[in-house]
């Protein structure tokens, strides 16, 4: 899985070059600050690279259903928490209720 994910990422990046060409990505890349480059490397190595590596390593240990269930079920919960922490977005009752339903669903899924 790790090798396949690597080749898929490389092929995706290669194909994105053709889509980005008409957008003038060369001029945009030349004008990037060091903070922009740091963000690109974080997204590429930190979030995507390490995230997919951990995902692929967990599939043989936990199984594909549990791995994808846990990973993708937590996305809206973490999005709400991080939006609150970084952007000051309010946590509403609907969000708390939705997070509770996610956690209940995860608990039911993890039961033997």
């Amino acid at each position: 899985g790790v090798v396949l994910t690597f080749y898929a990422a490389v092929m995706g990046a290669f194909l994105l070059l053709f889509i980005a060409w008409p957008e003038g990505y060369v001029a945009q890349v030349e004008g990037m600050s060091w903070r922009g480059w740091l963000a690109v490397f974080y997204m590429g190595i930190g979030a995507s690279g390490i995230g997919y590596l951990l995902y692929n390593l967990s599939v043989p240990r936990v199984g594909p259903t549990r791995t994808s269930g846990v990973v993708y079920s937590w996305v809206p919960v973490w999005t709400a928490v991080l939006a609150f922490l970084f952007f000051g977005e309010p946590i509403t009752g609907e969000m708390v209720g939705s997070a509770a339903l996610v956690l209940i669903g995860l608990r039911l899924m993890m039961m033997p």
Side-chain angles (χ1 to χ4, degrees), residues 2 5 10 14 34 37 39 43-44 81 95-96 99 108:
V2 175
T5 302
V10 169
F14 177 71
W34 68 271
W37 280 109
M43 287 296 298
V81 170
M95 294 167 79
V96 172
L108 291 172

Side-chain angles (χ1 to χ4, degrees), residues 3-19:
V3 174
L4 184 61
T5 302
F6 171 77
Y7 285 124
V10 169
M11 181 58 86
F14 177 71
L15 293 175
L16 279 174
L17 292 175
F18 294 107
I19 297 171

Side-chain angles (χ1 to χ4, degrees), residues 20-89:
W21 188 267
E23 300 287 329
Y25 77 92
V26 174
Q28 293 176 12
V29 169
E30 288 174 350
M32 281 177 50
S33 67
W34 68 271
R35 288 182 178 167
W37 280 109
L38 189 62
V40 168
F41 285 120
Y42 168 75
M43 287 296 298
I45 295 169
S48 298
I50 294 173
Y52 278 115
L53 176 66
L54 292 175
Y55 180 87
N56 282 309
L57 292 175
S58 67
V59 168
R61 293 188 175 140
V62 196
T65 303
R66 284 188 174 183
T67 300
S68 63
V70 170
V71 169
Y72 294 117
S73 294
W74 276 100
V75 168
V77 175
W78 282 113
T79 302
V81 170
L82 293 173
F84 172 75
L85 292 175
F86 288 108
F87 304 117
E89 292 289 327

